[in-house]
């Protein structure tokens, strides 16, 4: 007989992580509290502490969760393309990423994670590991050489910049230079 408490606990942890991604995306590491996450997840603050220990651990778990969602989306996009070329696979992953970040949550939590990583060693460790795994997986799934994989991530970071400063539809020449050839 399956342990229903175990599956319920795992589902609850997933719900808390989803709430944490939303809260940290909106307020960042330093602006969000465990209480904010608990409120969003509709559970008690002590329960969140019991699950994650502290805000830093909750944030790093939320980052890891966000990157798992991105990795899963890239993997699914690559698997659907069958015998596509490496560039076609990278393009398919990019298209899937655009869909995935459309609501802004995953994009903003990544930006907050990168900013926090600059000053917080524990967060830096998690962000580095997340990107290490993602870059390694994208290279393996696409079969692309290093240069195209680097450009895939560079364009993604450029997309983050364009969206975060709100110039997707800006008609100024400088914004057009940054927007050329990318979809957000």
């Amino acid at each position: 007989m399956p342990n229903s408490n175990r599956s319920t606990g795992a589902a609850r942890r997933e719900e808390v992580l989803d709430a944490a991604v939303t809260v940290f995306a909106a307020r960042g590491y330093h602006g969000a509290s465990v209480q904010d996450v608990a409120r969003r997840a509709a559970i008690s603050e002590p329960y969140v502490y019991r699950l994650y220990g502290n805000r830093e651990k909750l944030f790093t778990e939320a980052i890891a969760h966000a990157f798992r969602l991105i990795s899963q989306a890239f993997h699914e996009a690559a698997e659907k393309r069958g015998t596509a070329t490496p560039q076609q696979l990278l393009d398919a992953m990019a298209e899937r990423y655009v869909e995935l970040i459309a609501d802004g949550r995953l994009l903003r939590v990544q930006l907050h994670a990168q900013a926090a990583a600059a000053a917080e060693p524990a967060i830096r460790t998690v962000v580095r590991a997340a990107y290490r795994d993602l870059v390694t997986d994208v290279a393996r799934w696409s079969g692309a050489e290093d240069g195209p994989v680097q450009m895939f991530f560079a364009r993604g970071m450029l997309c983050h910049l364009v969206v975060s400063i709100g110039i997707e539809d800006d008609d100024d020449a400088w914004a057009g230079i940054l927007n050329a050839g990318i979809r957000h």
Side-chain angles (χ1 to χ4, degrees):
M1 183 171 169
N3 184 341
S4 62
N5 288 339
R6 188 171 190 189
S7 63
T8 301
R12 196 62 176 144
R13 284 181 68 84
E14 197 77 10
E15 290 170 9
V16 172
L17 287 177
D18 191 57
V21 167
T22 299
V23 170
F24 287 122
R27 297 192 185 117
Y29 175 61
H30 293 290
S33 69
V34 172
Q35 182 180 35
D36 296 330
V37 173
R39 195 174 309 126
R40 174 77 185 191
I43 61 172
S44 72
E45 185 177 356
Y47 186 65
V48 176
Y49 277 109
R50 190 167 58 240
L51 291 173
Y52 295 100
N54 59 45
R55 184 172 55 97
E56 180 179 81
K57 183 66 173 164
L58 178 60
F59 185 68
T60 58
E61 290 290 333
I63 294 165
H65 176 71
F67 274 88
R68 280 190 302 273
L69 294 173
I70 295 165
S71 180
Q72 180 182 7
F74 286 170
H75 188 246
E76 290 168 359
E79 281 188 324
K80 288 181 181 177
R81 297 302 280 216
T83 60
T85 67
Q87 188 58 53
Q88 289 170 326
L89 291 170
L90 290 173
D91 292 345
M93 288 183 224
E95 287 297 316
R96 182 64 185 103
Y97 186 68
V98 168
E99 295 166 7
L100 189 64
I101 65 168
D103 72 357
R105 263 179 4 123
L106 290 178
L107 179 138
R108 287 191 312 274
V109 83
Q110 287 176 83
L111 292 172
H112 285 300
Q114 291 164 9
E120 304 288 340
I123 295 169
R124 181 180 311 119
T125 298
V126 171
V127 173
R128 283 175 57 110
Y131 273 107
R132 177 200 63 220
D133 293 347
L134 198 58
V135 169
T136 301
D137 288 343
V138 165
R140 185 177 74 245
W141 295 331
S142 69
E145 298 291 326
D146 292 353
V149 172
Q150 180 191 43
M151 288 307 300
F152 173 83
F153 281 93
R155 291 175 70 86
M157 295 297 173
L158 180 58
C159 183
H160 288 184
L161 171 67
V162 165
V163 172
S164 69
I165 65 174
I167 61 169
E168 307 93 312
D169 300 315
D170 197 314
D171 292 331
D172 288 343
W174 71 272
I177 291 169
L178 295 179
N179 278 309
I182 61 174
R183 204 180 119 215
H184 332 285

